Amino acid sequence: MFVSISTTGTAENPASDLGFLLHKHPDKVQRFTTAHGTAHVFYPESGEQTCTAALLLEIDPAALLRHGRGKGRSGSPDLALAEYVNDRPYAASSLLAVALRTVFRSAMKGECPHRPELPGRAMPLRIVLPSVPVAGGGPELVDRLFAPLGWQVGATPVPLDESFPEWGDSRYVRLELTGTLRLADALQHLYVLLPVLDGAKHYWVAPDEVDKLLAAGQGWLADHPERALITRRYLSRRWSLTRLAMERLALARLAEADDREAEEIDNAVPDTPEEVTSTDPSTDPSTDSSIDSGAVLPADAAATPVHPVQGSPTTGPESISEPEPGRSTVSDAVTGTEADGEGAGRGESLAAQRRTAILAALARTGAARVLDLGCGQGELVGALLKESRVTEVLGVDVSSRALTIAARRLRLDRMPERLASRVRLVQGALTYTDARLKGYDAAVLCEVIEHLDLPRLPALEYAVFGAARPAAVVVTTPNAEYNVRWETLPAGHLRHGDHRFEWNRAEFTAWAEQVADSFGYTVAFEPVGPVDPEVGAPTQLAHFRLTEPAPTTAETAGTTATTDRATAIDNTITDRTTVTDRTDAPSNDLAPEGSAHR
């Protein structure tokens, strides 16, 4: 296997700097031992104007048979050796990709201690590989993979036999890439895309391959138009690993859009075994239990203070009967439990009362297709599936961990097929327009808006009310006035550490009426939980009903308020669940997230 990397330079930036970047001296021929053969690095030419580095990989068939997986479901057809004999020419594949990583590891990481300014500099590059196997798609597939990365692609098919042109072309191409890029990026592109073109690897694909893919694809894979194809083929079509990688890539895109770290976004639920493996019967649609279990009561939960007005038991933030850690939005995730106490005289948690109020509001609209925006661990999704009227539920959350827990709590893997067809769990951001959210009868934002920074709230308003535009929207949020009734909540504090604001009834009413007026809805309000004559109920609910058709482009442009919101969310999230591989047969690794295949 052979690959050459060439560059040009000037007196100020000589081409021989390539030697510093590759950590290989141009005047030496160096030899490196790999698990499957010997790699030789040498420089056919080295000067100020032009410099070429070459990697020649000599394959040891015996070592390949000993260490590799030439046969079996993960083996490449080119590696199907018959007792050390192979009559096929070795072509660039995962063997060469591994050799590149082994020999040029520091260059791939962008490290150059002697010349630290070099790795960050883009340079004119020309990469030539005489023989590259392409499994389905031919030169067109090569162009689809490399062109979006800034390469000018030359993929010339290699004939089966030059003496018999009527036999046609083989599946091999001569690949030439030219472009101005960082050398580290170029090496990462080759490391990932050579096995993708081949469509197989010479070794078993383990879960750590996901980390390798995301590390090598950092900065370019998440935004690549063929990321689904690349991910699937790089991971040898192992569906579970492909889904995991796609979730992490989607999270990376959301984090980049919000200019935050992925860990800051995907923290909607505690990462503990108990949270991940527990199942809440109240959210399992296969049971009829109405008991809200799965919550852990603190030791002092029984000693609840007395409600100062009604004389009924209530609780504060330190004695929580219903944790709601899964309610999260775009970049503002819930990281703990909220101050939801027992309902006055009802023995029912405030979270359960919210779900009851939401279900009642949805029932009045007759909604059959419902969005749960910020679905968290799936409590409301499970309750909706118990409603025979509801034919489809789409749960959306930014946290992949929350979606994983929701799938387990809902028992999607064991759910009957007819019931599983009614639910989808997808990862998405609520401050960006999303085509998947259009066409639904109703949407629910349960304890979501207070986790957004106020300057980002108009983006959510437009994404939900302006772009998705369901016929009804139900919004719940804490009533700040009621906070004085939580005896353990210090004065001036919010109910939850991740809340960016909490509105009183007048503020919530003003916001809801402004949104309704801007987007063509009517709105009605109702309290949720025990009503205090002085401060109202602990939760306030707004029920929006659509009264106007979706505005045209011209009408939207003429409405200042709507236009302001539209410009705030100009970046649109594409439908990550409908990307198809145009060269391979459709596969169930692209099943909707949260489906029975999860």
Side-chain angles (χ1 to χ4, degrees):
M1 301 181 186
F2 181 82
V3 58
S4 66
I5 304 172
S6 303
T7 187
T8 58
T10 63
E12 295 78 15
N13 298 305
S16 56
D17 285 346
L18 182 64
F20 286 98
L21 286 169
L22 293 175
H23 296 259
K24 303 295 181 287
H25 199 288
D27 294 336
K28 295 181 180 180
V29 176
Q30 295 177 267
R31 176 180 174 181
F32 303 88
T33 301
T34 70
H36 302 93
T38 304
H40 304 271
V41 177
F42 56 94
Y43 289 76
E45 58 180 339
S46 177
E48 288 188 355
Q49 294 185 342
T50 59
C51 183
T52 299
L55 171 65
L56 174 64
L57 178 62
E58 290 185 306
I59 302 298
D60 180 358
L64 185 62
L65 188 64
R66 268 195 315 271
H67 302 295
R69 288 181 57 91
K71 298 179 181 180
R73 59 176 176 170
S74 70
S76 169
D78 287 340
L79 303 176
L81 302 178
E83 296 299 328
Y84 312 111
V85 177
N86 184 12
D87 60 354
R88 297 176 181 269
Y90 291 107
S93 66
S94 58
L95 287 168
L96 182 58
V98 172
L100 285 170
R101 182 187 178 110
T102 302
V103 176
F104 299 136
R105 182 180 298 273
S106 296
M108 192 175 293
K109 292 180 179 179
E111 298 175 352
C112 186
H114 297 292
R115 298 283 300 280
E117 77 281 0
L118 288 182
R121 191 178 74 194
M123 56 196 311
L125 295 173
R126 178 175 174 266
I127 298 176
V128 177
L129 296 102
S131 183
V132 177
V134 182
E140 187 265 340
L141 175 61
V142 180
D143 189 74
R144 283 166 51 194
L145 295 181
F146 283 98
L149 300 174
W151 292 106
Q152 295 180 3
V153 182
T156 306
V158 176
L160 281 172
D161 193 320
E162 294 180 355
S163 303
F164 300 93
E166 65 273 13
W167 289 2
D169 296 328
S170 68
R171 70 186 187 95
Y172 300 93
V173 300
R174 180 185 186 276
L175 178 59
E176 181 175 329
L177 303 171
T178 57
T180 303
L181 295 87
R182 296 170 59 246
L183 179 63
D185 294 335
L187 293 174
Q188 289 172 348
H189 297 167
L190 293 175
Y191 176 76
V192 172
L193 297 181
L194 286 179
V196 170
L197 287 172
D198 190 14
K201 288 192 172 184
H202 67 280
Y203 58 89
W204 174 249
V205 176
D208 63 347
E209 289 297 302
V210 175
D211 295 326
K212 295 179 184 177
L213 171 63
L214 298 182
Q218 186 174 6
W220 62 271
L221 181 56
D223 294 321
H224 198 292
E226 301 292 348
R227 61 185 174 276
L229 180 150
I230 294 171
T231 303
R232 181 167 61 256
R233 292 175 63 139
Y234 182 89
L235 296 171
S236 298
R237 295 174 177 81
R238 289 195 61 188
W239 317 132
S240 60
L241 298 183
T242 300
R243 284 195 296 271
L244 174 60
M246 290 299 291
E247 287 177 355
R248 291 175 61 180
L249 284 172
L251 184 63
R253 295 185 73 209
L254 297 177
E256 183 178 0
D258 271 2
D259 194 23
R260 299 166 71 96
E261 295 295 330
E263 293 76 12
E264 295 182 64
I265 294 180
D266 195 15
N267 64 351
V269 294
D271 192 12
T272 62
E274 291 77 9
E275 291 285 353
V276 173
T277 58
S278 64
T279 300
D280 185 351
S282 70
T283 64
D284 182 3
S286 63
T287 68
D288 293 327
S289 173
S290 60
I291 301 174
D292 282 338
S293 63
V296 180
L297 286 171
D300 62 345
T304 56
V306 176
H307 190 280
V309 174
Q310 297 178 329
S312 56
T314 183
T315 58
E318 295 180 0
S319 53
I320 302 161
S321 63
E322 175 80 8
E324 290 229 351
R327 292 279 159 196
S328 62
T329 59
V330 185
S331 59
D332 309 284
V334 184
T335 57
T337 55
E338 302 195 16
D340 291 344
E342 297 294 330
R346 297 182 57 181
E348 185 180 34
S349 70
L350 181 55
Q353 293 180 60
R354 276 199 301 267
R355 286 195 290 273
T356 299
I358 291 170
L359 293 174
L362 295 175
R364 292 195 293 270
T365 67
R369 303 177 69 239
V370 181
L371 295 166
D372 184 6
L373 304 177
C375 64
Q377 298 183 48
E379 294 92 344
L380 181 60
V381 172
L384 287 168
L385 289 177
K386 293 181 181 179
E387 300 287 323
S388 59
R389 178 194 74 259
V390 178
T391 60
E392 181 181 350
V393 181
L394 178 63
V396 182
D397 203 282
V398 73
S399 169
S400 60
R401 283 189 292 167
L403 294 173
T404 299
I405 294 174
R408 292 177 180 176
R409 295 183 69 176
L410 294 169
R411 301 179 181 178
L412 291 183
D413 57 337
R414 289 175 286 172
M415 189 178 288
E417 184 176 353
R418 179 176 298 181
L419 187 59
S421 66
R422 295 169 54 198
V423 60
R424 281 197 305 153
L425 302 177
V426 301
Q427 191 174 34
L430 303 185
T431 53
Y432 297 86
T433 58
D434 191 337
R436 296 173 296 180
L437 308 186
K438 294 183 178 180
Y440 283 81
D441 301 325
V444 178
L445 291 162
C446 178
E447 308 300 288
V448 168
I449 62 173
E450 63 272 12
H451 294 279
L452 279 174
D453 292 318
L454 280 172
R456 299 186 60 78
L457 194 56
L460 178 142
E461 296 168 16
Y462 178 79
V464 175
F465 294 90
R469 205 162 181 76
V473 181
V474 178
V475 180
T476 70
T477 192
N479 171 20
E481 297 172 70
Y482 196 88
N483 290 352
V484 297
R485 298 300 185 235
W486 303 122
E487 294 188 356
T488 56
L489 181 65
H493 283 232
L494 303 180
R495 296 187 195 179
H496 184 268
D498 191 63
H499 285 185
R500 309 308 170 91
F501 64 87
E502 287 176 4
W503 280 331
N504 59 36
R505 287 171 291 176
E507 291 169 330
F508 181 60
T509 299
W511 171 81
E513 290 177 345
Q514 175 264 321
V515 170
D517 182 63
S518 298
F519 296 100
Y521 285 79
T522 60
V523 62
F525 303 91
E526 62 181 83
V528 178
V531 179
D532 184 293
E534 297 179 2
V535 297
T539 295
Q540 42 194 341
L541 181 149
H543 189 183
F544 297 82
R545 298 282 193 99
L546 184 64
T547 59
E548 298 178 2
T552 64
T553 302
E555 290 170 343
T556 304
T559 304
T560 302
T562 304
T563 303
D564 290 342
R565 290 174 175 79
T567 56
I569 46 84
D570 192 38
N571 296 323
T572 301
I573 293 180
T574 57
D575 188 345
R576 302 178 188 90
T577 63
T578 58
V579 180
T580 57
D581 184 342
R582 286 174 281 179
T583 60
D584 294 336
S587 54
N588 66 354
D589 67 302
L590 294 180
E593 295 100 313
S595 69
H597 298 289
R598 192 179 182 96

